[in-house]
Amino acid sequence: MKINTKKMDVIWSYLGYALNLAINVILLPWILQAVPRSELGIWYTFASISAIVNTVDFGFSPTIIRNLTYAWSGAKVLKTTGVQYIEKDSSPNYELFNKVLIACKYLYLGISIFALFILLTIGSVYVSSISEGLVKKALLAWMIYAFACFLNLYYSYWPLALKSIGKMAEAQKSTVASKIIQFIASLVGLKLGGDIIALAVAYLLSGLALRICSKLYFFRLDEIKNYLSLDMHYERKEIFQIFRTLWVNAKKAGISTISTTVMSQAGTIVCSGVLGVNSTAEYGLVLQLITVLVGVGQIIYQIHIPVLTNAKIINDLERQQRKFSLSVVGFFLITIMGMFFCVLFLGDIISLIKSNTVFNNTLFLGVALYYIPENNYSIHASYISIGNELPFVKSLVFTSLLRILLLFLGTYILRLGLWGIVFAGIISDYVYIIWKWPSVALKQLQLTPLQLIKVGFSELYRLFFGGRLQKAKGF
């Protein structure tokens, strides 16, 4: 079955991220005013620890989306490496889809319990060590936050299931509902003096809403409710075989996910341990803003992952070229425009609200120098993985280990402060991954960088003005 992206999928995806932006940016003035600088540093540390622990799903999220999309496209079997090409008009393989979904249910229960154990043991010890006289409040907030992470991880297969069949609008409607709840709960809690405890409770409520709404939307679909049920019983060996097939690439994706998370979050962890929570607040604010910026830029690619996967399995190269070029050009346009806005206006805006934490413009540009190319790499690596092969994992592990070494060298030994974190990111990324794997992806797509740019702008023009497409070949 051919999967297409509709205009409403795009609209709802940006609306969902806009409300996520409301939590991370529009709510930021209230957070900066209501939460003391030391507590804000602790909150950013919460997010970094949980981001690392949440990688215990070990790469199953992208692997599950990819294989669910294979089944929905009509694949007869799942392969450990590579894809089984099928006819364009194939019907969904409902039985295979249902087996993968049931395997996900048991899988995520196990990994979420393991994640909760790590959060409540090692995580609690680390939070206590950096709390500086706020141990009781920090630990209470941490317990709530840890339970929220458990629920979010356990039920995360429901949004994945919606996205895997191209139902981006429904997935994003669930996100919109959850973010509205988080915004209201955060604002009310901060007004009542809840500080980081209020933020943790709001995060818990948001996660619950997202999972409930996603499940309801999934089983309301006509093409789902008449064919699928998690109550169906299969032999254990059938489900186990599904797990074994997924595991081959999931373990590689897991290593990739852990490495990527370490690269993005290790700076915050090292900062809180070596430079203190005040410096962590300054760095965390910059990292949060850049994360939001690249997140907005990547939306258009995330929307098209099921479309690209579907085009791959039916061997439609031209469609892959068009959608991928659109995604990359859109990513760079959005991030570059966002950078200009932040550099020109954000410092003055934050000063006007009398923030307890300052915005470091120069630090922002330094982090952007490696964070944006790093996310461009992740888009290209994700496309490569659509073919059910992950050749980039070893180089990513090397990069993450180099990043950690350079972080300690820059902050602890050379005493470069926050710039030690920046230099560690630039050096580790520019050595290899940010140029190597984009070139491999373009080779698979049979595109040059110039062709990608031309096709991407052509697709953007078509998207907004309905212009004619230009094919990638022949430039």
Side-chain angles (χ1 to χ4, degrees):
M1 176 179 286
K2 189 174 182 179
I3 297 176
N4 290 306
T5 301
K6 302 176 182 177
K7 181 178 288 187
M8 290 307 298
D9 292 323
V10 178
I11 293 173
W12 274 104
S13 292
Y14 277 100
L15 181 59
Y17 203 91
L19 283 174
N20 190 46
L21 189 66
I23 295 299
N24 294 314
V25 175
I26 299 175
L27 191 61
L28 192 58
W30 284 280
I31 294 175
L32 294 173
Q33 286 183 328
V35 179
R37 189 175 182 180
S38 58
E39 290 189 31
L40 184 60
I42 293 171
W43 176 251
Y44 284 133
T45 303
F46 279 15
S48 294
I49 294 174
S50 67
I52 292 175
V53 173
N54 281 342
T55 60
V56 298
D57 86 337
F58 217 67
F60 274 103
S61 296
T63 304
I64 286 168
I65 288 181
R66 185 165 63 248
N67 282 276
L68 283 172
T69 303
Y70 290 160
W72 191 255
S73 299
K76 303 304 179 184
V77 294
L78 300 180
K79 301 179 68 174
T80 54
T81 57
V83 296
Q84 177 195 45
Y85 293 109
I86 60 171
E87 298 297 327
K88 292 184 179 181
D89 57 353
S90 298
S91 299
N93 188 337
Y94 290 107
E95 182 178 6
L96 182 59
F97 188 95
N98 206 40
K99 288 178 182 178
V100 176
L101 198 59
I102 291 173
C104 294
K105 176 182 177 181
Y106 294 112
L107 169 68
Y108 276 99
L109 175 60
I111 61 179
S112 59
I113 291 173
F114 177 72
L116 181 63
F117 174 77
I118 297 296
L119 290 170
L120 293 180
T121 53
I122 299 174
S124 296
V125 172
Y126 186 79
V127 168
S128 298
S129 70
I130 65 167
S131 297
E132 298 179 2
L134 299 168
V135 176
K136 289 185 177 180
K137 176 185 283 188
L139 281 179
L140 177 57
W142 176 247
M143 296 297 175
I144 299 171
Y145 194 87
F147 186 63
C149 290
F150 165 79
L151 292 178
N152 287 348
L153 188 57
Y154 175 42
Y155 292 115
S156 59
Y157 60 90
W158 288 117
L160 298 181
L162 282 171
K163 293 176 182 178
S164 70
I165 60 176
K167 300 299 181 182
M168 293 296 179
E170 287 77 7
Q172 293 304 325
K173 287 176 184 178
S174 302
T175 300
V176 168
S178 71
K179 293 307 174 184
I180 290 174
I181 290 173
Q182 185 176 1
F183 182 84
I184 295 173
S186 297
L187 190 58
V188 171
L190 290 173
K191 290 294 184 181
L192 295 175
D195 297 341
I196 57 175
I197 294 176
L199 297 177
V201 171
Y203 179 61
L204 172 64
L205 295 176
S206 171
L208 284 172
L210 177 61
R211 309 316 167 197
I212 292 171
C213 291
S214 297
K215 183 177 179 180
L216 290 175
Y217 272 119
F218 184 75
F219 280 108
R220 282 176 57 186
L221 297 170
D222 291 335
E223 57 266 53
I224 293 295
K225 63 184 179 182
N226 296 325
Y227 297 97
L228 297 178
S229 173
L230 291 182
D231 295 328
M232 295 181 67
H233 296 286
Y234 299 97
E235 293 185 16
R236 290 184 180 180
K237 64 179 182 180
E238 293 182 276
I239 302 301
F240 183 69
Q241 182 58 43
I242 294 289
F243 175 81
R244 289 181 61 185
T245 303
L246 297 177
W247 176 247
V248 172
N249 271 326
K251 62 184 178 183
K252 297 177 185 178
I255 295 171
S256 174
T257 302
I258 291 172
S259 299
T260 301
T261 305
V262 167
M263 287 166 59
S264 63
Q265 302 299 331
T268 304
I269 302 296
V270 171
C271 187
S272 62
V274 177
L275 304 180
V277 291
N278 288 334
S279 293
T280 305
E282 185 177 349
Y283 172 73
L285 176 61
V286 165
L287 187 62
Q288 180 183 15
L289 292 170
I290 292 181
T291 301
V292 169
L293 184 61
V294 299
V296 174
Q298 283 200 6
I299 285 177
I300 197 163
Y301 173 72
Q302 297 297 329
I303 293 171
H304 286 100
I305 287 177
V307 178
L308 285 165
T309 305
N310 178 251
K312 183 75 173 181
I313 200 171
I314 63 177
N315 205 21
D316 188 343
L317 179 60
E318 183 186 339
R319 192 155 160 249
Q320 294 175 63
Q321 292 171 331
R322 292 191 287 105
K323 298 305 182 183
F324 187 78
S325 298
L326 169 65
S327 301
V328 174
V329 170
F331 168 75
F332 275 107
L333 282 177
I334 291 171
T335 52
I336 290 172
M337 289 189 296
M339 277 185 61
F340 275 111
F341 174 83
C342 291
V343 169
L344 294 175
F345 304 112
L346 198 57
D348 293 334
I349 293 173
I350 290 181
S351 297
L352 286 175
I353 65 173
K354 298 179 181 180
S355 165
N356 293 318
T357 303
V358 297
F359 174 69
N360 189 326
N361 217 342
T362 308
L363 180 66
F364 175 84
L365 288 174
V367 174
L369 278 176
Y370 68 89
Y371 204 77
I372 292 176
E374 188 176 295
N375 279 268
N376 176 58
Y377 146 78
S378 71
I379 291 174
H380 287 78
S382 175
Y383 169 77
I384 295 171
S385 70
I386 285 174
N388 215 24
E389 296 184 4
L390 294 83
F392 48 82
V393 174
K394 290 182 180 179
S395 63
L396 190 59
V397 172
F398 169 79
T399 302
S400 64
L401 293 176
L402 180 61
R403 175 77 62 88
I404 294 173
L405 176 64
L406 292 174
L407 280 170
F408 280 103
L409 178 64
T411 59
Y412 187 73
I413 297 177
L414 298 180
R415 303 292 181 182
L416 296 177
L418 290 174
W419 283 100
I421 298 175
V422 173
F423 292 140
I426 292 174
I427 294 171
S428 60
D429 278 356
Y430 281 69
V431 167
Y432 191 74
I433 64 167
I434 67 167
W435 59 266
K436 169 63 177 179
W437 299 111
S439 67
V440 172
L442 291 183
K443 185 177 180 180
Q444 291 184 3
L445 285 160
Q446 300 178 25
L447 288 172
T448 66
L450 180 59
Q451 287 172 339
L452 180 142
I453 293 170
K454 288 181 177 180
V455 175
F457 275 106
S458 176
E459 283 292 296
L460 279 175
Y461 186 85
R462 185 193 67 84
L463 181 63
F464 291 105
F465 304 108
R468 293 181 63 187
L469 294 174
Q470 297 181 26
K471 293 187 179 182
K473 297 181 179 179
F475 283 104

